[in-house]
Amino acid sequence: MGEVVDLERFRTKLAADQGFRTWLARFQEQFGPETRLQDLSDQTLLYLASPGEENLYVYFDLVMGAQGLGGSLRFRLDDLDNATKLKIMDVAFALMDRVRFEVMRRLGWVGEVLEQDTPIIQLVRQAVRRGQEFAREVPRLAPSHPDYPAYAKLRAADQTVFLRRLIPRAVGEFEARVSKR
């Protein structure tokens, strides 16, 4: 009798293998189907949270690989239709936000990050499937943050903008913390 194969587990493993292919070489860390944002080292998280075109292509590699579209070279060579490229960019920017929220969580600036225990590959799938709904989800600023009183007075939509405006400062502070080690 044949062996029973969990098809979903197999697909997830394949997506992780393809999505993390370039990450394994770049970051010298282990990534797999169960790797979560909170599992990333501070150095890897800092790289992913930092602005820059090359950093964005690391996300493209993840998103494209996880969807079986190859790597970011196809994106650079304009080997994809515009609708597919836009979807990849949307997902990459949504994931970059989640990475930056993880930075804020490690700094103690936000409470629990949404889907904190969800593996990165599953986050990619959710971002692809849910689109803008996924991208709009943000954590709440921690009451212990010095700017919380101003944040608490704002409407929900304005709180989102307020939180996003803190991202550059958070990345800078996280970089300073990581470089001290």
Side-chain angles (χ1 to χ4, degrees):
M1 188 147 179
E3 185 178 327
V4 175
V5 177
D6 182 342
L7 198 53
E8 185 56 32
R9 179 176 278 143
F10 175 77
R11 285 185 183 133
T12 301
K13 168 114 174 60
L14 184 62
D17 289 349
Q18 291 176 353
F20 289 130
R21 185 175 51 240
T22 59
W23 286 36
L24 291 168
R26 176 179 294 276
F27 298 119
Q28 305 296 311
E29 289 184 38
Q30 292 301 307
F31 304 98
E34 300 303 317
T35 302
R36 304 164 301 169
L37 291 175
Q38 65 189 21
D39 298 328
L40 300 178
S41 71
D42 285 348
Q43 293 77 15
T44 296
L45 192 68
L46 176 60
Y47 181 89
L48 292 170
S50 299
E53 187 175 339
E54 283 306 309
N55 303 37
L56 189 56
Y57 282 105
V58 171
Y59 285 99
F60 291 174
D61 279 329
L62 171 67
V63 173
M64 292 175 69
Q67 294 184 82
L69 297 173
S72 63
L73 184 59
R74 285 190 67 200
F75 194 96
R76 292 179 198 236
L77 294 176
D78 211 18
D79 187 31
L80 299 164
D81 63 84
N82 285 338
T84 302
K85 287 175 85 168
L86 286 173
K87 184 68 170 178
I88 291 166
M89 290 172 58
D90 286 346
V91 171
F93 285 123
L95 292 172
M96 185 180 288
D97 278 349
R98 295 296 172 102
V99 164
R100 290 171 171 173
F101 297 149
E102 174 61 17
V103 163
M104 295 171 101
R105 186 193 67 78
R106 290 187 190 187
L107 291 171
W109 290 19
V110 297
E112 197 170 293
V113 175
L114 304 163
E115 290 124 5
Q116 186 170 318
D117 293 322
T118 303
I120 295 169
I121 291 299
Q122 295 300 331
L123 290 176
V124 171
R125 288 179 171 167
Q126 287 180 24
V128 168
R129 188 176 64 251
R130 294 177 39 220
Q132 288 301 311
E133 175 192 346
F134 180 90
R136 282 192 292 270
E137 296 173 346
V138 298
R140 294 195 43 79
L141 192 65
S144 60
H145 191 278
D147 294 333
Y148 185 80
Y151 169 86
K153 293 176 185 174
L154 300 171
R155 294 175 314 152
D158 294 331
Q159 286 179 341
T160 297
V161 172
F162 188 96
L163 188 73
R164 288 183 186 283
R165 286 188 178 152
L166 291 176
I167 288 174
R169 194 167 87 203
V171 172
E173 194 165 310
F174 191 69
E175 181 177 20
R177 187 171 105 179
V178 169
S179 66
K180 286 181 185 178
R181 292 183 193 158

